[in-house]
Amino acid sequence: MLDRSTPSVFEFSPDHIPFQRKVMDDITYGFDYSLGYHELLLSGSVGSAKSLLCAHIIVRHCLEHKGAKVLIGRRSLPDLKDTLFTTIVEHLECERLKENKDYRINYSSAYIEFSNGSVIMGKSWADKKYKKFRSLVLSMAVIEEAVENTGDDYKALIEIRQRVGRLPHIKQNIIIYATNPDSPSHELYKYFFNEKKPNRHIYFSLTEQNPFLPKSYVENLKENLPPKEAERMLMGKWIEIDKERIYYAYNSDVNFKSEDYVINPYLPVSISFDFNIGINKPMSCCLSQYDRSTDTFHFFDEVVIHGSRTEDVLEEIAAKGYFDMPVMFEIHGDATGGARTTNSKWSNYDLIDQFIKQYKSKTNPLLKVNHRLLIPSVNPPIRERHIIVNAYCRNMKGDVRLYVYKKCKTLHEGMKLTALKKGADYLEDDSKEYQHVTTALGYRVVYTSQNKVIVKGGNIR
Protein backbone atom coordinates (compact mmCIF):
# COMPACT_ATOMS: atom_id res chain seq x y z
CA MET A 1 0.00 0.00 0.00
CA LEU A 2 1.35 3.44 -0.94
CA ASP A 3 2.00 5.95 1.79
CA ARG A 4 -0.61 8.64 1.00
CA SER A 5 -3.94 9.92 2.27
CA THR A 6 -5.99 9.22 -0.89
CA PRO A 7 -6.81 5.51 -1.31
CA SER A 8 -6.37 3.95 -4.75
CA VAL A 9 -9.31 2.72 -6.81
CA PHE A 10 -8.66 -0.80 -5.46
CA GLU A 11 -8.29 0.30 -1.82
CA PHE A 12 -11.38 2.51 -1.65
CA SER A 13 -14.33 1.29 0.42
CA PRO A 14 -17.66 3.15 0.52
CA ASP A 15 -18.69 1.43 3.75
CA HIS A 16 -17.16 4.02 6.09
CA ILE A 17 -19.41 6.92 5.07
CA PRO A 18 -23.17 6.18 4.72
CA PHE A 19 -23.98 8.30 1.69
CA GLN A 20 -21.10 6.81 -0.32
CA ARG A 21 -22.52 3.29 -0.03
CA LYS A 22 -25.98 4.51 -1.03
CA VAL A 23 -24.64 6.27 -4.14
CA MET A 24 -22.54 3.30 -5.24
CA ASP A 25 -25.41 0.83 -4.77
CA ASP A 26 -27.84 3.02 -6.70
CA ILE A 27 -25.44 3.47 -9.63
CA THR A 28 -24.66 -0.25 -9.78
CA TYR A 29 -28.03 -1.82 -8.99
CA GLY A 30 -30.71 0.79 -8.38
CA PHE A 31 -31.07 2.97 -11.47
CA ASP A 32 -33.27 2.18 -14.44
CA TYR A 33 -31.01 3.30 -17.29
CA SER A 34 -33.82 2.78 -19.81
CA LEU A 35 -34.98 6.22 -18.62
CA GLY A 36 -31.84 7.74 -20.10
CA TYR A 37 -29.07 9.36 -18.13
CA HIS A 38 -29.44 9.74 -14.36
CA GLU A 39 -28.52 12.97 -12.56
CA LEU A 40 -27.11 12.94 -9.05
CA LEU A 41 -26.89 15.97 -6.76
CA LEU A 42 -24.22 15.29 -4.13
CA SER A 43 -25.27 17.98 -1.70
CA GLY A 44 -22.51 17.75 0.86
CA SER A 45 -21.10 19.83 3.63
CA VAL A 46 -17.40 20.67 3.57
CA GLY A 47 -15.06 17.75 4.26
CA SER A 48 -17.70 15.09 3.56
CA ALA A 49 -15.54 13.32 0.94
CA LYS A 50 -17.59 14.19 -2.16
CA SER A 51 -14.49 14.58 -4.36
CA LEU A 52 -13.09 11.18 -3.44
CA LEU A 53 -16.41 9.49 -4.19
CA CYS A 54 -16.59 11.27 -7.55
CA ALA A 55 -13.03 10.25 -8.38
CA HIS A 56 -13.86 6.62 -7.63
CA ILE A 57 -17.03 6.62 -9.72
CA ILE A 58 -15.17 8.24 -12.63
CA VAL A 59 -12.20 5.84 -12.60
CA ARG A 60 -14.41 2.75 -12.23
CA HIS A 61 -16.58 3.93 -15.10
CA CYS A 62 -13.52 4.31 -17.32
CA LEU A 63 -12.05 0.94 -16.37
CA GLU A 64 -15.31 -1.00 -16.67
CA HIS A 65 -16.56 0.53 -19.94
CA LYS A 66 -14.27 0.52 -22.96
CA GLY A 67 -14.28 3.79 -24.83
CA ALA A 68 -16.05 5.72 -22.05
CA LYS A 69 -15.93 9.50 -22.35
CA VAL A 70 -16.07 11.40 -19.06
CA LEU A 71 -16.13 15.17 -18.72
CA ILE A 72 -14.94 16.64 -15.42
CA GLY A 73 -15.84 20.29 -15.26
CA ARG A 74 -15.59 23.40 -13.16
CA ARG A 75 -15.94 27.06 -13.99
CA SER A 76 -12.18 27.59 -13.58
CA LEU A 77 -9.71 25.04 -14.97
CA PRO A 78 -6.96 25.86 -12.39
CA ASP A 79 -9.49 25.19 -9.60
CA LEU A 80 -10.51 21.92 -11.24
CA LYS A 81 -6.89 20.80 -11.57
CA ASP A 82 -6.24 21.61 -7.91
CA THR A 83 -9.21 19.61 -6.65
CA LEU A 84 -11.06 16.83 -8.49
CA PHE A 85 -8.37 16.21 -11.14
CA THR A 86 -5.66 15.86 -8.48
CA THR A 87 -7.85 13.45 -6.51
CA ILE A 88 -8.36 11.33 -9.65
CA VAL A 89 -4.62 11.22 -10.34
CA GLU A 90 -3.92 10.14 -6.76
CA HIS A 91 -6.74 7.58 -6.94
CA LEU A 92 -5.04 5.92 -9.93
CA GLU A 93 -1.72 5.43 -8.13
CA CYS A 94 -1.35 1.76 -7.25
CA GLU A 95 0.65 -1.34 -8.05
CA ARG A 96 -2.00 -2.72 -10.42
CA LEU A 97 -2.12 0.32 -12.69
CA LYS A 98 0.97 1.78 -14.34
CA GLU A 99 1.17 5.29 -15.71
CA ASN A 100 2.21 5.41 -19.39
CA LYS A 101 1.10 1.80 -19.78
CA ASP A 102 -2.45 1.50 -18.45
CA TYR A 103 -3.13 5.23 -18.67
CA ARG A 104 -1.47 8.46 -19.77
CA ILE A 105 -1.92 11.88 -18.19
CA ASN A 106 -1.71 15.33 -19.74
CA TYR A 107 -1.39 17.48 -16.63
CA SER A 108 -1.62 20.84 -18.40
CA SER A 109 -5.05 20.12 -19.91
CA ALA A 110 -6.35 17.77 -17.17
CA TYR A 111 -6.75 14.93 -19.66
CA ILE A 112 -6.34 11.19 -18.96
CA GLU A 113 -6.42 8.47 -21.61
CA PHE A 114 -6.73 4.79 -20.69
CA SER A 115 -5.37 1.83 -22.65
CA ASN A 116 -8.96 0.60 -23.25
CA GLY A 117 -9.83 3.81 -25.09
CA SER A 118 -11.65 5.54 -22.22
CA VAL A 119 -10.82 9.19 -21.55
CA ILE A 120 -11.30 11.77 -18.81
CA MET A 121 -11.33 15.33 -20.10
CA GLY A 122 -11.10 18.44 -17.96
CA LYS A 123 -13.26 21.33 -19.13
CA SER A 124 -13.98 24.87 -17.91
CA TRP A 125 -16.10 27.79 -19.08
CA ALA A 126 -14.79 30.95 -17.45
CA ASP A 127 -14.37 32.22 -21.03
CA LYS A 128 -18.19 32.17 -21.38
CA LYS A 129 -17.95 30.00 -24.54
CA TYR A 130 -20.66 27.54 -23.64
CA LYS A 131 -21.40 26.29 -27.16
CA LYS A 132 -17.98 24.61 -27.37
CA PHE A 133 -19.46 21.60 -25.55
CA ARG A 134 -21.74 20.82 -28.50
CA SER A 135 -19.00 18.81 -30.22
CA LEU A 136 -18.68 16.36 -27.32
CA VAL A 137 -20.09 12.84 -27.04
CA LEU A 138 -20.14 11.70 -23.40
CA SER A 139 -21.11 8.78 -21.22
CA MET A 140 -20.62 10.68 -17.95
CA ALA A 141 -20.13 14.24 -16.71
CA VAL A 142 -19.11 15.37 -13.24
CA ILE A 143 -19.48 19.04 -12.33
CA GLU A 144 -17.55 20.15 -9.28
CA GLU A 145 -18.76 23.02 -7.06
CA ALA A 146 -21.84 23.29 -9.24
CA VAL A 147 -23.32 26.25 -7.34
CA GLU A 148 -20.47 28.42 -8.64
CA ASN A 149 -22.52 28.58 -11.81
CA THR A 150 -25.00 31.42 -11.61
CA GLY A 151 -26.45 33.68 -14.28
CA ASP A 152 -25.01 32.95 -17.72
CA ASP A 153 -22.60 30.33 -16.38
CA TYR A 154 -25.53 28.01 -15.68
CA LYS A 155 -25.80 27.68 -19.48
CA ALA A 156 -22.67 25.50 -19.35
CA LEU A 157 -24.55 22.91 -17.29
CA ILE A 158 -27.46 22.96 -19.73
CA GLU A 159 -25.13 22.39 -22.69
CA ILE A 160 -23.27 19.55 -20.93
CA ARG A 161 -26.53 17.73 -20.13
CA GLN A 162 -27.28 17.48 -23.83
CA ARG A 163 -23.95 15.77 -24.51
CA VAL A 164 -24.41 12.80 -22.15
CA GLY A 165 -25.89 9.47 -23.29
CA ARG A 166 -24.66 9.49 -26.89
CA LEU A 167 -22.48 6.38 -26.75
CA PRO A 168 -24.85 3.47 -27.58
CA HIS A 169 -22.54 0.75 -26.24
CA ILE A 170 -22.54 2.29 -22.73
CA LYS A 171 -25.85 2.05 -20.89
CA GLN A 172 -24.64 3.50 -17.58
CA ASN A 173 -24.95 7.24 -18.31
CA ILE A 174 -24.62 9.61 -15.36
CA ILE A 175 -24.31 13.32 -14.59
CA ILE A 176 -23.06 14.21 -11.10
CA TYR A 177 -23.23 17.66 -9.54
CA ALA A 178 -20.97 17.78 -6.48
CA THR A 179 -21.44 20.90 -4.40
CA ASN A 180 -21.86 22.56 -1.05
CA PRO A 181 -25.43 23.83 -0.48
CA ASP A 182 -26.30 27.38 -1.48
CA SER A 183 -29.42 29.50 -1.71
CA PRO A 184 -32.83 27.94 -2.48
CA SER A 185 -33.04 30.52 -5.26
CA HIS A 186 -30.19 28.84 -7.15
CA GLU A 187 -31.16 27.19 -10.44
CA LEU A 188 -29.68 23.88 -9.31
CA TYR A 189 -31.93 23.82 -6.23
CA LYS A 190 -34.99 24.48 -8.36
CA TYR A 191 -33.92 21.81 -10.86
CA PHE A 192 -33.61 19.05 -8.24
CA PHE A 193 -35.94 20.05 -5.41
CA ASN A 194 -38.79 21.73 -7.30
CA GLU A 195 -38.76 19.70 -10.53
CA LYS A 196 -38.55 16.15 -9.22
CA LYS A 197 -38.20 13.37 -11.80
CA PRO A 198 -37.43 9.63 -11.51
CA ASN A 199 -33.95 10.07 -13.00
CA ARG A 200 -32.94 12.88 -10.62
CA HIS A 201 -31.53 11.90 -7.24
CA ILE A 202 -30.40 13.91 -4.19
CA TYR A 203 -27.82 12.66 -1.69
CA PHE A 204 -26.92 14.52 1.49
CA SER A 205 -23.61 14.18 3.32
CA LEU A 206 -22.43 15.82 6.52
CA THR A 207 -18.96 16.74 7.68
CA GLU A 208 -19.33 14.87 10.96
CA GLN A 209 -20.08 11.62 9.11
CA ASN A 210 -16.54 11.45 7.75
CA PRO A 211 -14.58 9.38 10.31
CA PHE A 212 -11.24 10.19 8.66
CA LEU A 213 -11.30 13.91 9.55
CA PRO A 214 -9.25 15.06 12.56
CA LYS A 215 -11.39 15.82 15.61
CA SER A 216 -10.23 19.44 15.56
CA TYR A 217 -11.45 19.97 11.99
CA VAL A 218 -15.11 20.62 12.78
CA GLU A 219 -14.25 22.78 15.79
CA ASN A 220 -12.00 24.95 13.63
CA LEU A 221 -14.79 25.32 11.08
CA LYS A 222 -17.23 26.39 13.79
CA GLU A 223 -14.73 29.03 14.83
CA ASN A 224 -14.06 30.29 11.32
CA LEU A 225 -17.58 30.28 9.87
CA PRO A 226 -20.43 32.69 10.63
CA PRO A 227 -23.67 30.98 11.73
CA LYS A 228 -25.45 31.07 8.36
CA GLU A 229 -22.43 29.80 6.44
CA ALA A 230 -22.00 27.09 9.07
CA GLU A 231 -25.57 25.92 8.49
CA ARG A 232 -24.69 25.47 4.82
CA MET A 233 -21.14 24.18 5.13
CA LEU A 234 -21.51 21.99 8.24
CA MET A 235 -25.19 21.09 8.38
CA GLY A 236 -25.80 20.83 4.64
CA LYS A 237 -28.78 23.21 4.57
CA TRP A 238 -29.92 25.06 1.47
CA ILE A 239 -30.78 28.34 3.20
CA GLU A 240 -30.97 31.97 2.17
CA ILE A 241 -28.38 34.41 3.46
CA ASP A 242 -29.30 38.09 3.69
CA LYS A 243 -28.72 39.39 0.15
CA GLU A 244 -29.20 42.98 1.21
CA ARG A 245 -26.21 43.02 3.51
CA ILE A 246 -22.79 41.49 2.84
CA TYR A 247 -21.79 41.71 6.50
CA TYR A 248 -25.00 40.21 7.84
CA ALA A 249 -23.30 39.01 11.02
CA TYR A 250 -22.39 42.59 11.99
CA ASN A 251 -24.72 43.78 14.76
CA SER A 252 -24.62 47.45 15.75
CA ASP A 253 -25.66 46.60 19.30
CA VAL A 254 -22.80 44.14 19.69
CA ASN A 255 -19.96 45.01 17.31
CA PHE A 256 -20.12 48.81 17.52
CA LYS A 257 -18.66 50.66 20.52
CA SER A 258 -19.85 54.24 21.06
CA GLU A 259 -16.64 55.10 22.87
CA ASP A 260 -13.00 55.82 22.10
CA TYR A 261 -10.59 52.93 22.03
CA VAL A 262 -7.59 53.05 24.33
CA ILE A 263 -4.53 52.02 22.32
CA ASN A 264 -2.46 49.27 23.87
CA PRO A 265 1.20 50.42 23.63
CA TYR A 266 2.38 46.80 23.60
CA LEU A 267 0.43 45.84 20.49
CA PRO A 268 1.19 46.91 16.89
CA VAL A 269 -1.12 49.41 15.23
CA SER A 270 -2.26 48.28 11.79
CA ILE A 271 -2.99 50.71 8.98
CA SER A 272 -4.85 48.88 6.21
CA PHE A 273 -5.45 50.57 2.84
CA ASP A 274 -7.85 50.34 -0.06
CA PHE A 275 -6.56 52.42 -2.99
CA ASN A 276 -9.10 54.05 -5.31
CA ILE A 277 -9.55 56.82 -7.84
CA GLY A 278 -12.98 57.90 -9.06
CA ILE A 279 -16.35 59.37 -8.14
CA ASN A 280 -17.62 57.99 -4.81
CA LYS A 281 -14.43 55.89 -4.62
CA PRO A 282 -12.32 57.57 -1.96
CA MET A 283 -8.86 56.60 -0.82
CA SER A 284 -9.60 54.76 2.39
CA CYS A 285 -7.79 53.22 5.31
CA CYS A 286 -8.62 52.04 8.79
CA LEU A 287 -6.51 51.76 11.93
CA SER A 288 -6.78 48.82 14.27
CA GLN A 289 -5.12 46.64 16.85
CA TYR A 290 -5.27 42.87 16.97
CA ASP A 291 -5.19 41.15 20.37
CA ARG A 292 -3.62 37.73 19.85
CA SER A 293 -4.61 36.52 23.30
CA THR A 294 -8.31 36.73 22.42
CA ASP A 295 -8.08 36.61 18.61
CA THR A 296 -9.94 39.94 18.49
CA PHE A 297 -9.78 43.01 16.23
CA HIS A 298 -10.36 46.58 17.44
CA PHE A 299 -10.91 49.13 14.62
CA PHE A 300 -10.62 52.55 16.23
CA ASP A 301 -10.09 55.16 13.50
CA GLU A 302 -10.32 55.73 9.76
CA VAL A 303 -9.29 58.11 7.00
CA VAL A 304 -11.58 58.44 3.99
CA ILE A 305 -10.50 61.09 1.47
CA HIS A 306 -11.74 61.84 -2.05
CA GLY A 307 -8.72 62.25 -4.29
CA SER A 308 -5.82 60.30 -5.67
CA ARG A 309 -2.89 61.27 -3.44
CA THR A 310 -1.71 58.63 -1.00
CA GLU A 311 0.17 61.39 0.79
CA ASP A 312 -3.14 63.06 1.71
CA VAL A 313 -4.16 60.00 3.70
CA LEU A 314 -0.78 59.79 5.42
CA GLU A 315 -0.83 63.48 6.30
CA GLU A 316 -4.27 63.04 7.86
CA ILE A 317 -3.01 60.13 9.96
CA ALA A 318 0.00 62.21 11.01
CA ALA A 319 -2.26 65.16 11.90
CA LYS A 320 -4.20 62.88 14.24
CA GLY A 321 -0.95 62.28 16.12
CA TYR A 322 -0.62 58.57 15.55
CA PHE A 323 2.90 58.69 14.14
CA ASP A 324 4.00 60.43 17.35
CA MET A 325 3.17 57.30 19.34
CA PRO A 326 5.98 54.87 20.29
CA VAL A 327 4.33 51.77 18.80
CA MET A 328 5.05 49.46 15.89
CA PHE A 329 2.99 50.20 12.78
CA GLU A 330 2.02 47.41 10.40
CA ILE A 331 1.19 48.58 6.89
CA HIS A 332 -0.89 46.37 4.67
CA GLY A 333 -4.10 46.16 2.65
CA ASP A 334 -4.81 46.24 -1.07
CA ALA A 335 -2.26 44.11 -2.95
CA THR A 336 -2.62 46.30 -6.06
CA GLY A 337 -0.94 49.11 -4.13
CA GLY A 338 2.38 47.36 -4.63
CA ALA A 339 2.31 47.87 -8.40
CA ARG A 340 4.16 50.72 -10.10
CA THR A 341 2.41 52.58 -12.90
CA THR A 342 3.80 53.85 -16.21
CA ASN A 343 3.45 57.38 -14.81
CA SER A 344 5.47 56.77 -11.68
CA LYS A 345 8.46 54.76 -10.48
CA TRP A 346 6.82 54.59 -7.08
CA SER A 347 4.04 52.31 -5.94
CA ASN A 348 1.55 53.34 -3.25
CA TYR A 349 3.44 51.26 -0.71
CA ASP A 350 6.74 52.84 -1.78
CA LEU A 351 5.21 56.24 -1.04
CA ILE A 352 3.91 55.07 2.33
CA ASP A 353 7.29 53.57 3.23
CA GLN A 354 9.17 56.74 2.32
CA PHE A 355 6.68 59.03 4.09
CA ILE A 356 6.99 57.14 7.35
CA LYS A 357 10.78 56.91 7.12
CA GLN A 358 11.05 60.66 6.60
CA TYR A 359 8.42 61.64 9.15
CA LYS A 360 9.63 64.07 11.81
CA SER A 361 7.61 64.32 14.99
CA LYS A 362 6.92 67.84 16.20
CA THR A 363 6.44 66.69 19.77
CA ASN A 364 9.44 64.34 19.82
CA PRO A 365 12.00 65.16 17.06
CA LEU A 366 14.18 62.19 18.05
CA LEU A 367 11.38 59.69 17.60
CA LYS A 368 11.83 57.22 14.77
CA VAL A 369 8.60 55.64 13.58
CA ASN A 370 8.88 51.87 13.68
CA HIS A 371 6.99 50.21 10.87
CA ARG A 372 6.94 47.18 8.64
CA LEU A 373 5.22 46.46 5.34
CA LEU A 374 3.02 43.36 5.30
CA ILE A 375 1.79 43.32 1.72
CA PRO A 376 0.02 40.25 0.29
CA SER A 377 0.98 39.11 -3.20
CA VAL A 378 -2.68 38.96 -4.24
CA ASN A 379 -5.99 40.09 -2.78
CA PRO A 380 -8.15 37.35 -1.25
CA PRO A 381 -11.23 36.17 -3.19
CA ILE A 382 -14.17 38.46 -2.44
CA ARG A 383 -16.45 35.75 -1.08
CA GLU A 384 -13.70 34.34 1.12
CA ARG A 385 -13.08 37.82 2.55
CA HIS A 386 -16.77 38.24 3.36
CA ILE A 387 -17.03 34.84 5.06
CA ILE A 388 -13.97 35.46 7.25
CA VAL A 389 -15.10 38.95 8.29
CA ASN A 390 -18.59 37.68 9.12
CA ALA A 391 -17.07 34.91 11.22
CA TYR A 392 -15.17 37.49 13.25
CA CYS A 393 -18.32 39.57 13.70
CA ARG A 394 -19.93 36.44 15.13
CA ASN A 395 -19.12 32.79 14.51
CA MET A 396 -21.16 29.63 14.96
CA LYS A 397 -19.96 29.31 18.55
CA GLY A 398 -21.33 32.78 19.31
CA ASP A 399 -17.89 34.36 19.70
CA VAL A 400 -17.64 38.07 18.84
CA ARG A 401 -14.10 38.97 17.80
CA LEU A 402 -14.43 42.26 15.90
CA TYR A 403 -15.31 45.70 17.25
CA VAL A 404 -15.68 49.07 15.54
CA TYR A 405 -15.32 52.25 17.65
CA LYS A 406 -17.01 55.63 17.40
CA LYS A 407 -14.36 57.42 15.30
CA CYS A 408 -15.03 54.96 12.48
CA LYS A 409 -18.30 56.50 11.31
CA THR A 410 -17.91 55.58 7.63
CA LEU A 411 -16.71 52.08 8.48
CA HIS A 412 -19.67 51.53 10.80
CA GLU A 413 -22.05 52.66 8.06
CA GLY A 414 -20.35 50.41 5.54
CA MET A 415 -20.53 47.35 7.77
CA LYS A 416 -24.28 47.93 8.09
CA LEU A 417 -25.07 48.73 4.46
CA THR A 418 -22.51 47.38 1.99
CA ALA A 419 -24.25 45.13 -0.56
CA LEU A 420 -23.50 43.22 -3.72
CA LYS A 421 -23.78 44.88 -7.10
CA LYS A 422 -27.15 44.07 -8.66
CA GLY A 423 -27.20 42.07 -11.87
CA ALA A 424 -23.52 41.12 -11.74
CA ASP A 425 -21.34 38.23 -10.68
CA TYR A 426 -20.28 38.14 -7.06
CA LEU A 427 -19.05 41.75 -6.84
CA GLU A 428 -19.47 44.45 -4.24
CA ASP A 429 -21.39 47.63 -5.05
CA ASP A 430 -18.41 49.98 -4.96
CA SER A 431 -20.43 53.04 -5.99
CA LYS A 432 -21.05 53.76 -2.29
CA GLU A 433 -18.19 55.58 -0.61
CA TYR A 434 -18.58 53.59 2.58
CA GLN A 435 -17.83 50.29 0.81
CA HIS A 436 -14.12 50.94 0.32
CA VAL A 437 -13.13 51.25 3.95
CA THR A 438 -14.93 47.97 4.67
CA THR A 439 -12.68 46.40 2.05
CA ALA A 440 -9.65 47.80 3.88
CA LEU A 441 -10.99 46.19 7.06
CA GLY A 442 -11.42 42.92 5.20
CA TYR A 443 -7.84 42.95 3.93
CA ARG A 444 -6.61 43.38 7.48
CA VAL A 445 -8.80 40.63 8.95
CA VAL A 446 -8.03 38.08 6.22
CA TYR A 447 -4.27 38.69 6.27
CA THR A 448 -4.06 38.40 10.04
CA SER A 449 -6.42 35.44 10.33
CA GLN A 450 -4.34 33.52 7.80
CA ASN A 451 -1.06 34.36 9.52
CA LYS A 452 -2.13 34.44 13.13
CA VAL A 453 -0.50 33.03 16.24
CA ILE A 454 -3.00 32.83 19.08
CA VAL A 455 -1.88 32.85 22.71
CA LYS A 456 -4.18 31.03 25.12
CA GLY A 457 -3.29 30.00 28.65
CA GLY A 458 0.37 30.69 28.03
CA ASN A 459 0.55 28.27 25.10
CA ILE A 460 1.07 29.34 21.50
CA ARG A 461 -0.78 27.54 18.73
Side-chain angles (χ1 to χ4, degrees):
M1 183 179 294
L2 300 177
D3 183 18
R4 48 177 165 63
S5 59
T6 302
S8 76
V9 62
F10 300 109
E11 298 165 344
F12 175 81
S13 171
D15 294 327
H16 302 292
I17 302 175
F19 93 100
Q20 291 186 344
R21 169 50 69 190
K22 174 63 175 170
V23 172
M24 292 301 300
D25 285 348
D26 284 352
I27 289 175
T28 307
Y29 311 110
F31 293 160
D32 179 1
Y33 290 104
S34 68
L35 297 173
Y37 61 74
H38 283 255
E39 296 183 273
L40 290 67
L41 176 64
L42 303 188
S43 175
S45 52
V46 65
S48 59
K50 299 184 299 296
S51 293
L52 177 57
L53 177 62
C54 287
H56 185 70
I57 293 170
I58 291 164
V59 172
R60 273 192 56 173
H61 184 81
C62 288
L63 294 177
E64 294 174 357
H65 303 280
K66 292 181 179 180
K69 307 294 185 213
V70 180
L71 177 149
I72 58 172
R74 189 169 178 178
R75 188 179 183 277
S76 163
L77 184 60
D79 289 341
L80 176 68
K81 290 164 69 175
D82 287 344
T83 50
L84 180 57
F85 177 70
T86 296
T87 304
I88 292 170
V89 171
E90 293 173 350
H91 201 51
L92 284 167
E93 294 176 353
C94 64
E95 297 296 333
R96 294 170 61 179
L97 293 173
K98 302 296 183 183
E99 186 175 355
N100 296 321
K101 178 185 176 184
D102 298 301
Y103 63 92
R104 291 179 174 83
I105 303 175
N106 184 320
Y107 291 90
S108 63
S109 60
Y111 187 92
I112 302 173
E113 183 176 3
F114 293 83
S115 58
N116 68 356
S118 295
V119 298
I120 299 170
M121 59 192 84
K123 298 293 181 179
S124 63
W125 44 91
D127 58 3
K128 305 288 186 181
K129 296 179 180 179
Y130 312 116
K131 293 182 180 180
K132 62 187 174 185
F133 299 113
R134 294 183 179 181
S135 63
L136 299 178
V137 177
L138 305 171
S139 55
M140 177 184 289
V142 178
I143 312 299
E144 190 173 44
E145 298 302 335
V147 295
E148 291 178 341
N149 301 289
T150 57
D152 285 345
D153 285 332
Y154 193 75
K155 294 177 182 177
L157 277 59
I158 296 173
E159 292 287 349
I160 291 169
R161 285 174 193 148
Q162 299 175 49
R163 305 299 106 197
V164 177
R166 297 197 172 195
L167 293 173
H169 71 287
I170 298 178
K171 303 303 181 184
Q172 190 185 88
N173 295 289
I174 300 169
I175 304 175
I176 299 175
Y177 308 86
T179 188
N180 299 130
D182 201 84
S183 165
S185 64
H186 196 284
E187 289 298 322
L188 201 63
Y189 180 92
K190 297 175 185 177
Y191 186 73
F192 275 94
F193 290 86
N194 298 346
E195 303 173 16
K196 295 183 179 181
K197 292 189 176 183
N199 65 333
R200 294 179 191 170
H201 315 273
I202 304 170
Y203 301 88
F204 296 98
S205 58
L206 300 178
T207 308
E208 62 185 13
Q209 293 176 336
N210 186 348
F212 301 105
L213 292 174
K215 292 182 179 180
S216 61
Y217 184 77
V218 174
E219 288 304 310
N220 287 335
L221 287 174
K222 289 179 180 178
E223 180 177 305
N224 295 316
L225 289 174
K228 290 289 186 181
E229 289 288 348
E231 286 190 62
R232 284 182 179 175
M233 299 299 186
L234 287 177
M235 301 176 187
K237 296 182 179 180
W238 290 74
I239 59 170
E240 194 66 75
I241 292 178
D242 191 349
K243 290 183 177 179
E244 300 303 316
R245 295 178 58 220
I246 286 175
Y247 301 110
Y248 56 86
Y250 183 83
N251 186 330
S252 297
D253 295 332
V254 177
N255 299 101
F256 181 69
K257 299 283 188 181
S258 57
E259 60 193 56
D260 284 326
Y261 174 76
V262 179
I263 293 175
N264 185 335
Y266 300 105
L267 297 178
V269 169
S270 164
I271 308 177
S272 184
F273 290 84
D274 183 43
F275 303 104
N276 294 287
I277 300 174
I279 299 173
N280 285 336
K281 297 182 179 181
M283 294 280 285
S284 304
C285 75
C286 50
L287 286 75
S288 64
Q289 285 195 308
Y290 171 69
D291 188 342
R292 294 190 309 168
S293 65
T294 58
D295 191 21
T296 302
F297 292 92
H298 301 272
F299 289 87
F300 57 83
D301 210 343
E302 65 185 13
V303 176
V304 179
I305 294 179
H306 289 274
S308 60
R309 293 183 71 251
T310 304
E311 293 90 338
D312 292 340
V313 176
L314 296 168
E315 288 167 0
E316 180 69 19
I317 295 171
K320 291 173 178 276
Y322 289 115
F323 289 141
D324 297 330
M325 301 180 65
V327 297
M328 170 63 73
F329 289 90
E330 295 179 341
I331 311 299
H332 53 172
D334 190 350
T336 64
R340 296 174 176 83
T341 68
T342 55
N343 299 323
S344 174
K345 296 180 179 179
W346 298 83
S347 71
N348 282 301
Y349 286 115
D350 290 333
L351 294 172
I352 294 168
D353 188 42
Q354 288 302 309
F355 183 96
I356 296 177
K357 285 179 177 177
Q358 297 171 7
Y359 178 76
K360 299 295 182 183
S361 172
K362 294 180 181 179
T363 59
N364 186 358
L366 299 178
L367 176 69
K368 179 182 178 180
V369 181
N370 292 320
H371 74 289
R372 56 192 175 206
L373 302 180
L374 302 175
I375 307 168
S377 57
V378 295
N379 286 331
I382 295 174
R383 183 172 176 79
E384 177 183 329
R385 169 161 54 85
H386 295 164
I387 290 173
I388 293 174
V389 170
N390 273 313
Y392 271 89
C393 290
R394 182 173 178 270
N395 65 16
M396 188 182 180
K397 293 181 175 181
D399 300 328
V400 176
R401 298 171 294 162
L402 186 150
Y403 297 98
V404 174
Y405 292 77
K406 74 173 188 178
K407 289 181 180 177
C408 299
K409 294 181 180 179
T410 306
L411 179 58
H412 176 49
E413 183 180 21
M415 294 299 290
K416 292 189 298 178
L417 301 177
T418 296
L420 293 176
K421 187 176 292 185
K422 295 186 187 310
D425 288 334
Y426 198 90
L427 297 172
E428 294 162 304
D429 182 359
D430 62 357
S431 65
K432 311 298 184 188
E433 67 172 25
Y434 51 67
Q435 178 269 330
H436 303 280
V437 71
T438 67
T439 301
L441 174 147
Y443 291 148
R444 159 65 160 156
V445 172
V446 172
Y447 181 91
T448 305
S449 69
Q450 294 178 345
N451 297 276
K452 69 185 178 182
V453 177
I454 306 173
V455 181
K456 289 187 177 181
N459 295 319
I460 297 179
R461 65 173 175 89

